[in-house]
PDB file of all heavy atoms in Angstrom:
ATOM      1  N   MET A   1      -7.265  -2.956  12.682  1.00 94.00           N
ATOM      2  CA  MET A   1      -7.813  -4.026  11.829  1.00 94.00           C
ATOM      3  C   MET A   1      -6.762  -4.476  10.818  1.00 94.00           C
ATOM      4  O   MET A   1      -6.846  -4.206   9.625  1.00 94.00           O
ATOM      5  CB  MET A   1      -9.086  -3.537  11.146  1.00 94.00           C
ATOM      6  CG  MET A   1     -10.221  -3.357  12.133  1.00 94.00           C
ATOM      7  SD  MET A   1     -11.719  -2.692  11.399  1.00 94.00           S
ATOM      8  CE  MET A   1     -11.336  -0.957  11.297  1.00 94.00           C
ATOM      9  N   VAL A   2      -5.741  -5.151  11.343  1.00 94.00           N
ATOM     10  CA  VAL A   2      -4.602  -5.603  10.541  1.00 94.00           C
ATOM     11  C   VAL A   2      -4.869  -7.031  10.061  1.00 94.00           C
ATOM     12  O   VAL A   2      -5.273  -7.871  10.866  1.00 94.00           O
ATOM     13  CB  VAL A   2      -3.305  -5.562  11.382  1.00 94.00           C
ATOM     14  CG1 VAL A   2      -2.109  -6.031  10.574  1.00 94.00           C
ATOM     15  CG2 VAL A   2      -3.077  -4.148  11.928  1.00 94.00           C
ATOM     16  N   PRO A   3      -4.663  -7.324   8.777  1.00 94.00           N
ATOM     17  CA  PRO A   3      -4.894  -8.699   8.303  1.00 94.00           C
ATOM     18  C   PRO A   3      -4.016  -9.691   9.062  1.00 94.00           C
ATOM     19  O   PRO A   3      -2.853  -9.398   9.360  1.00 94.00           O
ATOM     20  CB  PRO A   3      -4.473  -8.640   6.828  1.00 94.00           C
ATOM     21  CG  PRO A   3      -4.546  -7.208   6.458  1.00 94.00           C
ATOM     22  CD  PRO A   3      -4.218  -6.444   7.699  1.00 94.00           C
ATOM     23  N   SER A   4      -4.597 -10.845   9.373  1.00 89.00           N
ATOM     24  CA  SER A   4      -3.803 -11.877  10.052  1.00 89.00           C
ATOM     25  C   SER A   4      -4.147 -13.236   9.451  1.00 89.00           C
ATOM     26  O   SER A   4      -5.313 -13.520   9.171  1.00 89.00           O
ATOM     27  CB  SER A   4      -4.104 -11.887  11.548  1.00 89.00           C
ATOM     28  OG  SER A   4      -5.480 -12.152  11.768  1.00 89.00           O
ATOM     29  N   GLY A   5      -3.116 -14.057   9.243  1.00 85.00           N
ATOM     30  CA  GLY A   5      -3.349 -15.360   8.622  1.00 85.00           C
ATOM     31  C   GLY A   5      -4.052 -15.200   7.289  1.00 85.00           C
ATOM     32  O   GLY A   5      -3.670 -14.369   6.474  1.00 85.00           O
ATOM     33  N   SER A   6      -5.117 -15.963   7.112  1.00 87.00           N
ATOM     34  CA  SER A   6      -5.872 -15.843   5.847  1.00 87.00           C
ATOM     35  C   SER A   6      -6.990 -14.813   5.984  1.00 87.00           C
ATOM     36  O   SER A   6      -7.750 -14.575   5.057  1.00 87.00           O
ATOM     37  CB  SER A   6      -6.466 -17.203   5.461  1.00 87.00           C
ATOM     38  OG  SER A   6      -7.347 -17.622   6.496  1.00 87.00           O
ATOM     39  N   ASN A   7      -7.079 -14.189   7.139  1.00 90.00           N
ATOM     40  CA  ASN A   7      -8.162 -13.247   7.415  1.00 90.00           C
ATOM     41  C   ASN A   7      -7.814 -11.848   6.909  1.00 90.00           C
ATOM     42  O   ASN A   7      -6.916 -11.201   7.437  1.00 90.00           O
ATOM     43  CB  ASN A   7      -8.422 -13.216   8.929  1.00 90.00           C
ATOM     44  CG  ASN A   7      -9.646 -12.382   9.267  1.00 90.00           C
ATOM     45  OD1 ASN A   7     -10.599 -12.346   8.500  1.00 90.00           O
ATOM     46  ND2 ASN A   7      -9.617 -11.716  10.405  1.00 90.00           N
ATOM     47  N   ASP A   8      -8.506 -11.400   5.879  1.00 93.00           N
ATOM     48  CA  ASP A   8      -8.260 -10.067   5.308  1.00 93.00           C
ATOM     49  C   ASP A   8      -9.570  -9.534   4.728  1.00 93.00           C
ATOM     50  O   ASP A   8      -9.719  -9.384   3.515  1.00 93.00           O
ATOM     51  CB  ASP A   8      -7.175 -10.167   4.221  1.00 93.00           C
ATOM     52  CG  ASP A   8      -6.745  -8.808   3.677  1.00 93.00           C
ATOM     53  OD1 ASP A   8      -7.119  -7.778   4.272  1.00 93.00           O
ATOM     54  OD2 ASP A   8      -6.054  -8.781   2.642  1.00 93.00           O
ATOM     55  N   PRO A   9     -10.549  -9.256   5.614  1.00 93.00           N
ATOM     56  CA  PRO A   9     -11.898  -8.900   5.128  1.00 93.00           C
ATOM     57  C   PRO A   9     -11.955  -7.626   4.289  1.00 93.00           C
ATOM     58  O   PRO A   9     -12.875  -7.452   3.492  1.00 93.00           O
ATOM     59  CB  PRO A   9     -12.713  -8.740   6.417  1.00 93.00           C
ATOM     60  CG  PRO A   9     -11.698  -8.508   7.493  1.00 93.00           C
ATOM     61  CD  PRO A   9     -10.469  -9.257   7.075  1.00 93.00           C
ATOM     62  N   TYR A  10     -10.988  -6.734   4.456  1.00 95.00           N
ATOM     63  CA  TYR A  10     -11.028  -5.469   3.718  1.00 95.00           C
ATOM     64  C   TYR A  10     -10.051  -5.456   2.537  1.00 95.00           C
ATOM     65  O   TYR A  10      -9.738  -4.398   1.994  1.00 95.00           O
ATOM     66  CB  TYR A  10     -10.780  -4.296   4.672  1.00 95.00           C
ATOM     67  CG  TYR A  10     -11.742  -4.340   5.834  1.00 95.00           C
ATOM     68  CD1 TYR A  10     -11.311  -4.713   7.111  1.00 95.00           C
ATOM     69  CD2 TYR A  10     -13.105  -4.098   5.639  1.00 95.00           C
ATOM     70  CE1 TYR A  10     -12.206  -4.809   8.164  1.00 95.00           C
ATOM     71  CE2 TYR A  10     -14.013  -4.197   6.690  1.00 95.00           C
ATOM     72  CZ  TYR A  10     -13.558  -4.562   7.944  1.00 95.00           C
ATOM     73  OH  TYR A  10     -14.461  -4.671   8.984  1.00 95.00           O
ATOM     74  N   ALA A  11      -9.571  -6.632   2.174  1.00 95.00           N
ATOM     75  CA  ALA A  11      -8.698  -6.806   0.992  1.00 95.00           C
ATOM     76  C   ALA A  11      -7.489  -5.865   1.023  1.00 95.00           C
ATOM     77  O   ALA A  11      -7.094  -5.319  -0.005  1.00 95.00           O
ATOM     78  CB  ALA A  11      -9.500  -6.607  -0.293  1.00 95.00           C
ATOM     79  N   LEU A  12      -6.914  -5.680   2.199  1.00 97.00           N
ATOM     80  CA  LEU A  12      -5.772  -4.762   2.316  1.00 97.00           C
ATOM     81  C   LEU A  12      -4.527  -5.318   1.630  1.00 97.00           C
ATOM     82  O   LEU A  12      -3.726  -4.566   1.084  1.00 97.00           O
ATOM     83  CB  LEU A  12      -5.476  -4.452   3.790  1.00 97.00           C
ATOM     84  CG  LEU A  12      -6.623  -3.780   4.574  1.00 97.00           C
ATOM     85  CD1 LEU A  12      -6.175  -3.462   5.996  1.00 97.00           C
ATOM     86  CD2 LEU A  12      -7.102  -2.499   3.881  1.00 97.00           C
ATOM     87  N   ARG A  13      -4.380  -6.636   1.651  1.00 97.00           N
ATOM     88  CA  ARG A  13      -3.228  -7.226   0.949  1.00 97.00           C
ATOM     89  C   ARG A  13      -3.329  -6.933  -0.546  1.00 97.00           C
ATOM     90  O   ARG A  13      -2.338  -6.585  -1.186  1.00 97.00           O
ATOM     91  CB  ARG A  13      -3.173  -8.745   1.180  1.00 97.00           C
ATOM     92  CG  ARG A  13      -2.743  -9.144   2.590  1.00 97.00           C
ATOM     93  CD  ARG A  13      -2.441 -10.633   2.677  1.00 97.00           C
ATOM     94  NE  ARG A  13      -2.175 -11.035   4.056  1.00 97.00           N
ATOM     95  CZ  ARG A  13      -3.070 -11.605   4.856  1.00 97.00           C
ATOM     96  NH1 ARG A  13      -4.300 -11.849   4.420  1.00 97.00           N
ATOM     97  NH2 ARG A  13      -2.752 -11.945   6.088  1.00 97.00           N
ATOM     98  N   ARG A  14      -4.518  -7.115  -1.079  1.00 96.00           N
ATOM     99  CA  ARG A  14      -4.701  -6.869  -2.516  1.00 96.00           C
ATOM    100  C   ARG A  14      -4.432  -5.397  -2.840  1.00 96.00           C
ATOM    101  O   ARG A  14      -3.852  -5.067  -3.874  1.00 96.00           O
ATOM    102  CB  ARG A  14      -6.130  -7.247  -2.942  1.00 96.00           C
ATOM    103  CG  ARG A  14      -6.303  -7.315  -4.460  1.00 96.00           C
ATOM    104  CD  ARG A  14      -7.753  -7.429  -4.858  1.00 96.00           C
ATOM    105  NE  ARG A  14      -8.424  -6.147  -4.732  1.00 96.00           N
ATOM    106  CZ  ARG A  14      -9.729  -5.996  -4.535  1.00 96.00           C
ATOM    107  NH1 ARG A  14     -10.506  -7.032  -4.410  1.00 96.00           N
ATOM    108  NH2 ARG A  14     -10.262  -4.792  -4.439  1.00 96.00           N
ATOM    109  N   GLN A  15      -4.848  -4.499  -1.935  1.00 97.00           N
ATOM    110  CA  GLN A  15      -4.643  -3.075  -2.189  1.00 97.00           C
ATOM    111  C   GLN A  15      -3.158  -2.702  -2.118  1.00 97.00           C
ATOM    112  O   GLN A  15      -2.667  -1.931  -2.945  1.00 97.00           O
ATOM    113  CB  GLN A  15      -5.473  -2.249  -1.201  1.00 97.00           C
ATOM    114  CG  GLN A  15      -6.977  -2.478  -1.422  1.00 97.00           C
ATOM    115  CD  GLN A  15      -7.836  -1.497  -0.653  1.00 97.00           C
ATOM    116  OE1 GLN A  15      -7.736  -0.292  -0.849  1.00 97.00           O
ATOM    117  NE2 GLN A  15      -8.696  -1.995   0.216  1.00 97.00           N
ATOM    118  N   ALA A  16      -2.445  -3.267  -1.143  1.00 97.00           N
ATOM    119  CA  ALA A  16      -0.999  -2.986  -1.053  1.00 97.00           C
ATOM    120  C   ALA A  16      -0.280  -3.567  -2.269  1.00 97.00           C
ATOM    121  O   ALA A  16       0.615  -2.935  -2.835  1.00 97.00           O
ATOM    122  CB  ALA A  16      -0.430  -3.571   0.236  1.00 97.00           C
ATOM    123  N   TYR A  17      -0.684  -4.764  -2.674  1.00 98.00           N
ATOM    124  CA  TYR A  17      -0.062  -5.394  -3.852  1.00 98.00           C
ATOM    125  C   TYR A  17      -0.377  -4.568  -5.102  1.00 98.00           C
ATOM    126  O   TYR A  17       0.467  -4.431  -5.993  1.00 98.00           O
ATOM    127  CB  TYR A  17      -0.576  -6.825  -4.011  1.00 98.00           C
ATOM    128  CG  TYR A  17       0.207  -7.644  -5.016  1.00 98.00           C
ATOM    129  CD1 TYR A  17       1.512  -8.037  -4.742  1.00 98.00           C
ATOM    130  CD2 TYR A  17      -0.344  -8.028  -6.233  1.00 98.00           C
ATOM    131  CE1 TYR A  17       2.252  -8.789  -5.650  1.00 98.00           C
ATOM    132  CE2 TYR A  17       0.372  -8.781  -7.150  1.00 98.00           C
ATOM    133  CZ  TYR A  17       1.670  -9.161  -6.850  1.00 98.00           C
ATOM    134  OH  TYR A  17       2.397  -9.899  -7.753  1.00 98.00           O
ATOM    135  N   GLY A  18      -1.571  -3.976  -5.131  1.00 98.00           N
ATOM    136  CA  GLY A  18      -1.942  -3.094  -6.247  1.00 98.00           C
ATOM    137  C   GLY A  18      -1.023  -1.887  -6.325  1.00 98.00           C
ATOM    138  O   GLY A  18      -0.554  -1.511  -7.401  1.00 98.00           O
ATOM    139  N   ILE A  19      -0.722  -1.288  -5.160  1.00 98.00           N
ATOM    140  CA  ILE A  19       0.209  -0.149  -5.132  1.00 98.00           C
ATOM    141  C   ILE A  19       1.580  -0.591  -5.630  1.00 98.00           C
ATOM    142  O   ILE A  19       2.209   0.088  -6.452  1.00 98.00           O
ATOM    143  CB  ILE A  19       0.316   0.449  -3.709  1.00 98.00           C
ATOM    144  CG1 ILE A  19      -1.007   1.125  -3.311  1.00 98.00           C
ATOM    145  CG2 ILE A  19       1.461   1.467  -3.629  1.00 98.00           C
ATOM    146  CD1 ILE A  19      -1.056   1.637  -1.878  1.00 98.00           C
ATOM    147  N   VAL A  20       2.050  -1.734  -5.134  1.00 98.00           N
ATOM    148  CA  VAL A  20       3.362  -2.258  -5.554  1.00 98.00           C
ATOM    149  C   VAL A  20       3.407  -2.422  -7.068  1.00 98.00           C
ATOM    150  O   VAL A  20       4.361  -1.999  -7.734  1.00 98.00           O
ATOM    151  CB  VAL A  20       3.662  -3.609  -4.840  1.00 98.00           C
ATOM    152  CG1 VAL A  20       4.804  -4.361  -5.518  1.00 98.00           C
ATOM    153  CG2 VAL A  20       3.991  -3.360  -3.365  1.00 98.00           C
ATOM    154  N   ARG A  21       2.357  -3.000  -7.639  1.00 98.00           N
ATOM    155  CA  ARG A  21       2.340  -3.216  -9.095  1.00 98.00           C
ATOM    156  C   ARG A  21       2.318  -1.893  -9.862  1.00 98.00           C
ATOM    157  O   ARG A  21       3.036  -1.718 -10.848  1.00 98.00           O
ATOM    158  CB  ARG A  21       1.122  -4.062  -9.492  1.00 98.00           C
ATOM    159  CG  ARG A  21       1.326  -5.558  -9.248  1.00 98.00           C
ATOM    160  CD  ARG A  21       0.300  -6.373 -10.001  1.00 98.00           C
ATOM    161  NE  ARG A  21       0.326  -6.074 -11.419  1.00 98.00           N
ATOM    162  CZ  ARG A  21      -0.742  -6.103 -12.212  1.00 98.00           C
ATOM    163  NH1 ARG A  21      -1.933  -6.392 -11.740  1.00 98.00           N
ATOM    164  NH2 ARG A  21      -0.640  -5.813 -13.504  1.00 98.00           N
ATOM    165  N   ILE A  22       1.480  -0.962  -9.422  1.00 98.00           N
ATOM    166  CA  ILE A  22       1.376   0.339 -10.119  1.00 98.00           C
ATOM    167  C   ILE A  22       2.737   1.038 -10.106  1.00 98.00           C
ATOM    168  O   ILE A  22       3.204   1.547 -11.125  1.00 98.00           O
ATOM    169  CB  ILE A  22       0.302   1.235  -9.452  1.00 98.00           C
ATOM    170  CG1 ILE A  22      -1.100   0.666  -9.705  1.00 98.00           C
ATOM    171  CG2 ILE A  22       0.376   2.668 -10.001  1.00 98.00           C
ATOM    172  CD1 ILE A  22      -2.198   1.307  -8.851  1.00 98.00           C
ATOM    173  N   VAL A  23       3.379   1.034  -8.936  1.00 98.00           N
ATOM    174  CA  VAL A  23       4.669   1.714  -8.767  1.00 98.00           C
ATOM    175  C   VAL A  23       5.759   1.056  -9.614  1.00 98.00           C
ATOM    176  O   VAL A  23       6.470   1.721 -10.370  1.00 98.00           O
ATOM    177  CB  VAL A  23       5.066   1.711  -7.271  1.00 98.00           C
ATOM    178  CG1 VAL A  23       6.507   2.115  -7.093  1.00 98.00           C
ATOM    179  CG2 VAL A  23       4.154   2.636  -6.477  1.00 98.00           C
ATOM    180  N   LEU A  24       5.876  -0.268  -9.499  1.00 97.00           N
ATOM    181  CA  LEU A  24       6.974  -0.966 -10.173  1.00 97.00           C
ATOM    182  C   LEU A  24       6.773  -1.014 -11.685  1.00 97.00           C
ATOM    183  O   LEU A  24       7.721  -0.850 -12.452  1.00 97.00           O
ATOM    184  CB  LEU A  24       7.136  -2.384  -9.617  1.00 97.00           C
ATOM    185  CG  LEU A  24       7.473  -2.495  -8.128  1.00 97.00           C
ATOM    186  CD1 LEU A  24       7.751  -3.939  -7.750  1.00 97.00           C
ATOM    187  CD2 LEU A  24       8.657  -1.615  -7.752  1.00 97.00           C
ATOM    188  N   GLU A  25       5.545  -1.234 -12.110  1.00 97.00           N
ATOM    189  CA  GLU A  25       5.310  -1.383 -13.555  1.00 97.00           C
ATOM    190  C   GLU A  25       5.313  -0.038 -14.284  1.00 97.00           C
ATOM    191  O   GLU A  25       5.441   0.011 -15.500  1.00 97.00           O
ATOM    192  CB  GLU A  25       4.028  -2.194 -13.795  1.00 97.00           C
ATOM    193  CG  GLU A  25       4.251  -3.662 -13.411  1.00 97.00           C
ATOM    194  CD  GLU A  25       2.981  -4.499 -13.325  1.00 97.00           C
ATOM    195  OE1 GLU A  25       2.031  -4.222 -14.079  1.00 97.00           O
ATOM    196  OE2 GLU A  25       2.950  -5.443 -12.499  1.00 97.00           O
ATOM    197  N   ASN A  26       5.186   1.050 -13.517  1.00 97.00           N
ATOM    198  CA  ASN A  26       5.326   2.386 -14.119  1.00 97.00           C
ATOM    199  C   ASN A  26       6.709   2.978 -13.835  1.00 97.00           C
ATOM    200  O   ASN A  26       6.963   4.133 -14.157  1.00 97.00           O
ATOM    201  CB  ASN A  26       4.249   3.334 -13.577  1.00 97.00           C
ATOM    202  CG  ASN A  26       2.895   3.089 -14.204  1.00 97.00           C
ATOM    203  OD1 ASN A  26       2.768   3.133 -15.426  1.00 97.00           O
ATOM    204  ND2 ASN A  26       1.893   2.814 -13.404  1.00 97.00           N
ATOM    205  N   GLN A  27       7.568   2.178 -13.163  1.00 95.00           N
ATOM    206  CA  GLN A  27       8.921   2.626 -12.795  1.00 95.00           C
ATOM    207  C   GLN A  27       8.887   3.968 -12.064  1.00 95.00           C
ATOM    208  O   GLN A  27       9.637   4.896 -12.358  1.00 95.00           O
ATOM    209  CB  GLN A  27       9.816   2.711 -14.048  1.00 95.00           C
ATOM    210  CG  GLN A  27       9.975   1.357 -14.725  1.00 95.00           C
ATOM    211  CD  GLN A  27      10.831   1.406 -15.973  1.00 95.00           C
ATOM    212  OE1 GLN A  27      11.113   2.469 -16.513  1.00 95.00           O
ATOM    213  NE2 GLN A  27      11.252   0.255 -16.455  1.00 95.00           N
ATOM    214  N   MET A  28       7.962   4.048 -11.088  1.00 96.00           N
ATOM    215  CA  MET A  28       7.810   5.269 -10.300  1.00 96.00           C
ATOM    216  C   MET A  28       8.642   5.152  -9.023  1.00 96.00           C
ATOM    217  O   MET A  28       8.571   4.135  -8.341  1.00 96.00           O
ATOM    218  CB  MET A  28       6.338   5.455  -9.877  1.00 96.00           C
ATOM    219  CG  MET A  28       5.376   5.705 -11.011  1.00 96.00           C
ATOM    220  SD  MET A  28       3.651   5.392 -10.508  1.00 96.00           S
ATOM    221  CE  MET A  28       3.418   6.652  -9.248  1.00 96.00           C
ATOM    222  N   SER A  29       9.389   6.186  -8.721  1.00 95.00           N
ATOM    223  CA  SER A  29      10.083   6.231  -7.433  1.00 95.00           C
ATOM    224  C   SER A  29       9.009   6.245  -6.339  1.00 95.00           C
ATOM    225  O   SER A  29       8.018   6.962  -6.450  1.00 95.00           O
ATOM    226  CB  SER A  29      10.930   7.505  -7.362  1.00 95.00           C
ATOM    227  OG  SER A  29      11.419   7.668  -6.068  1.00 95.00           O
ATOM    228  N   PHE A  30       9.191   5.430  -5.302  1.00 97.00           N
ATOM    229  CA  PHE A  30       8.179   5.375  -4.241  1.00 97.00           C
ATOM    230  C   PHE A  30       8.869   5.179  -2.890  1.00 97.00           C
ATOM    231  O   PHE A  30       8.954   4.065  -2.374  1.00 97.00           O
ATOM    232  CB  PHE A  30       7.195   4.231  -4.517  1.00 97.00           C
ATOM    233  CG  PHE A  30       5.891   4.333  -3.750  1.00 97.00           C
ATOM    234  CD1 PHE A  30       4.919   5.241  -4.129  1.00 97.00           C
ATOM    235  CD2 PHE A  30       5.648   3.513  -2.656  1.00 97.00           C
ATOM    236  CE1 PHE A  30       3.723   5.344  -3.428  1.00 97.00           C
ATOM    237  CE2 PHE A  30       4.458   3.601  -1.950  1.00 97.00           C
ATOM    238  CZ  PHE A  30       3.487   4.514  -2.343  1.00 97.00           C
ATOM    239  N   PRO A  31       9.402   6.295  -2.310  1.00 96.00           N
ATOM    240  CA  PRO A  31      10.082   6.206  -1.002  1.00 96.00           C
ATOM    241  C   PRO A  31       9.033   6.041   0.108  1.00 96.00           C
ATOM    242  O   PRO A  31       8.562   7.018   0.683  1.00 96.00           O
ATOM    243  CB  PRO A  31      10.823   7.542  -0.901  1.00 96.00           C
ATOM    244  CG  PRO A  31      10.052   8.481  -1.776  1.00 96.00           C
ATOM    245  CD  PRO A  31       9.387   7.660  -2.840  1.00 96.00           C
ATOM    246  N   LEU A  32       8.701   4.806   0.395  1.00 96.00           N
ATOM    247  CA  LEU A  32       7.533   4.495   1.229  1.00 96.00           C
ATOM    248  C   LEU A  32       7.587   5.116   2.616  1.00 96.00           C
ATOM    249  O   LEU A  32       6.620   5.736   3.063  1.00 96.00           O
ATOM    250  CB  LEU A  32       7.365   2.970   1.322  1.00 96.00           C
ATOM    251  CG  LEU A  32       6.173   2.475   2.146  1.00 96.00           C
ATOM    252  CD1 LEU A  32       4.863   3.022   1.604  1.00 96.00           C
ATOM    253  CD2 LEU A  32       6.134   0.956   2.161  1.00 96.00           C
ATOM    254  N   ALA A  33       8.714   4.960   3.329  1.00 95.00           N
ATOM    255  CA  ALA A  33       8.785   5.457   4.712  1.00 95.00           C
ATOM    256  C   ALA A  33       8.580   6.972   4.766  1.00 95.00           C
ATOM    257  O   ALA A  33       7.845   7.483   5.615  1.00 95.00           O
ATOM    258  CB  ALA A  33      10.115   5.074   5.342  1.00 95.00           C
ATOM    259  N   SER A  34       9.209   7.704   3.838  1.00 96.00           N
ATOM    260  CA  SER A  34       9.068   9.169   3.814  1.00 96.00           C
ATOM    261  C   SER A  34       7.629   9.570   3.474  1.00 96.00           C
ATOM    262  O   SER A  34       7.061  10.468   4.108  1.00 96.00           O
ATOM    263  CB  SER A  34      10.007   9.784   2.775  1.00 96.00           C
ATOM    264  OG  SER A  34      11.327   9.408   3.039  1.00 96.00           O
ATOM    265  N   LEU A  35       7.052   8.891   2.479  1.00 97.00           N
ATOM    266  CA  LEU A  35       5.665   9.200   2.097  1.00 97.00           C
ATOM    267  C   LEU A  35       4.717   8.917   3.255  1.00 97.00           C
ATOM    268  O   LEU A  35       3.790   9.688   3.518  1.00 97.00           O
ATOM    269  CB  LEU A  35       5.247   8.364   0.885  1.00 97.00           C
ATOM    270  CG  LEU A  35       5.560   8.945  -0.491  1.00 97.00           C
ATOM    271  CD1 LEU A  35       5.245   7.940  -1.586  1.00 97.00           C
ATOM    272  CD2 LEU A  35       4.778  10.236  -0.749  1.00 97.00           C
ATOM    273  N   LEU A  36       4.972   7.826   3.959  1.00 96.00           N
ATOM    274  CA  LEU A  36       4.124   7.446   5.085  1.00 96.00           C
ATOM    275  C   LEU A  36       4.143   8.529   6.163  1.00 96.00           C
ATOM    276  O   LEU A  36       3.097   8.886   6.718  1.00 96.00           O
ATOM    277  CB  LEU A  36       4.628   6.114   5.650  1.00 96.00           C
ATOM    278  CG  LEU A  36       3.678   5.312   6.535  1.00 96.00           C
ATOM    279  CD1 LEU A  36       2.349   5.061   5.850  1.00 96.00           C
ATOM    280  CD2 LEU A  36       4.321   3.985   6.930  1.00 96.00           C
ATOM    281  N   SER A  37       5.325   9.077   6.427  1.00 96.00           N
ATOM    282  CA  SER A  37       5.437  10.159   7.431  1.00 96.00           C
ATOM    283  C   SER A  37       4.603  11.367   7.019  1.00 96.00           C
ATOM    284  O   SER A  37       3.909  11.968   7.842  1.00 96.00           O
ATOM    285  CB  SER A  37       6.895  10.586   7.595  1.00 96.00           C
ATOM    286  OG  SER A  37       7.644   9.536   8.121  1.00 96.00           O
ATOM    287  N   GLU A  38       4.686  11.708   5.724  1.00 97.00           N
ATOM    288  CA  GLU A  38       3.931  12.880   5.245  1.00 97.00           C
ATOM    289  C   GLU A  38       2.425  12.616   5.257  1.00 97.00           C
ATOM    290  O   GLU A  38       1.636  13.496   5.609  1.00 97.00           O
ATOM    291  CB  GLU A  38       4.397  13.246   3.829  1.00 97.00           C
ATOM    292  CG  GLU A  38       5.834  13.757   3.797  1.00 97.00           C
ATOM    293  CD  GLU A  38       6.272  14.173   2.395  1.00 97.00           C
ATOM    294  OE1 GLU A  38       5.961  15.313   2.009  1.00 97.00           O
ATOM    295  OE2 GLU A  38       6.896  13.352   1.692  1.00 97.00           O
ATOM    296  N   VAL A  39       2.037  11.399   4.897  1.00 97.00           N
ATOM    297  CA  VAL A  39       0.606  11.039   4.907  1.00 97.00           C
ATOM    298  C   VAL A  39       0.067  11.098   6.337  1.00 97.00           C
ATOM    299  O   VAL A  39      -1.023  11.631   6.585  1.00 97.00           O
ATOM    300  CB  VAL A  39       0.394   9.634   4.291  1.00 97.00           C
ATOM    301  CG1 VAL A  39      -1.011   9.110   4.590  1.00 97.00           C
ATOM    302  CG2 VAL A  39       0.624   9.678   2.779  1.00 97.00           C
ATOM    303  N   LYS A  40       0.843  10.596   7.290  1.00 95.00           N
ATOM    304  CA  LYS A  40       0.398  10.612   8.694  1.00 95.00           C
ATOM    305  C   LYS A  40       0.198  12.050   9.188  1.00 95.00           C
ATOM    306  O   LYS A  40      -0.788  12.349   9.861  1.00 95.00           O
ATOM    307  CB  LYS A  40       1.433   9.903   9.582  1.00 95.00           C
ATOM    308  CG  LYS A  40       1.461   8.396   9.394  1.00 95.00           C
ATOM    309  CD  LYS A  40       2.290   7.694  10.454  1.00 95.00           C
ATOM    310  CE  LYS A  40       3.609   8.380  10.701  1.00 95.00           C
ATOM    311  NZ  LYS A  40       4.446   7.654  11.677  1.00 95.00           N
ATOM    312  N   ALA A  41       1.134  12.920   8.830  1.00 95.00           N
ATOM    313  CA  ALA A  41       1.022  14.329   9.263  1.00 95.00           C
ATOM    314  C   ALA A  41      -0.244  14.971   8.685  1.00 95.00           C
ATOM    315  O   ALA A  41      -0.906  15.764   9.360  1.00 95.00           O
ATOM    316  CB  ALA A  41       2.263  15.093   8.826  1.00 95.00           C
ATOM    317  N   LEU A  42      -0.570  14.608   7.445  1.00 96.00           N
ATOM    318  CA  LEU A  42      -1.772  15.170   6.806  1.00 96.00           C
ATOM    319  C   LEU A  42      -3.059  14.626   7.424  1.00 96.00           C
ATOM    320  O   LEU A  42      -4.035  15.352   7.623  1.00 96.00           O
ATOM    321  CB  LEU A  42      -1.776  14.831   5.300  1.00 96.00           C
ATOM    322  CG  LEU A  42      -0.807  15.575   4.381  1.00 96.00           C
ATOM    323  CD1 LEU A  42      -0.854  14.959   2.987  1.00 96.00           C
ATOM    324  CD2 LEU A  42      -1.172  17.054   4.310  1.00 96.00           C
ATOM    325  N   LEU A  43      -3.070  13.313   7.700  1.00 96.00           N
ATOM    326  CA  LEU A  43      -4.325  12.657   8.087  1.00 96.00           C
ATOM    327  C   LEU A  43      -4.604  12.658   9.584  1.00 96.00           C
ATOM    328  O   LEU A  43      -5.762  12.555   9.985  1.00 96.00           O
ATOM    329  CB  LEU A  43      -4.357  11.209   7.583  1.00 96.00           C
ATOM    330  CG  LEU A  43      -4.270  10.975   6.073  1.00 96.00           C
ATOM    331  CD1 LEU A  43      -4.676   9.540   5.747  1.00 96.00           C
ATOM    332  CD2 LEU A  43      -5.134  11.941   5.272  1.00 96.00           C
TER     333      LEU A  43
END
């Protein structure tokens, strides 16, 4: 269920943008690819 065009019923764009804002505005290191690998292994 990947957003396409203007279709984003689960507000995933807003949620990803929320993560970007939290990370950047708090100056938090956020190595996305590495974190994604660890999250996948957990889930």
Side-chain angles (χ1 to χ4, degrees):
M1 291 177 281
V2 180
S4 60
S6 60
N7 187 33
D8 186 11
Y10 306 107
L12 300 183
R13 288 191 186 99
R14 193 191 76 205
Q15 295 191 60
Y17 192 70
I19 292 175
V20 164
R21 280 196 56 213
I22 291 168
V23 167
L24 299 186
E25 289 168 32
N26 283 304
Q27 299 179 346
M28 294 162 64
S29 170
F30 198 75
L32 181 58
S34 303
L35 272 173
L36 198 54
S37 295
E38 293 182 83
V39 167
K40 288 191 315 183
L42 286 173
L43 299 195

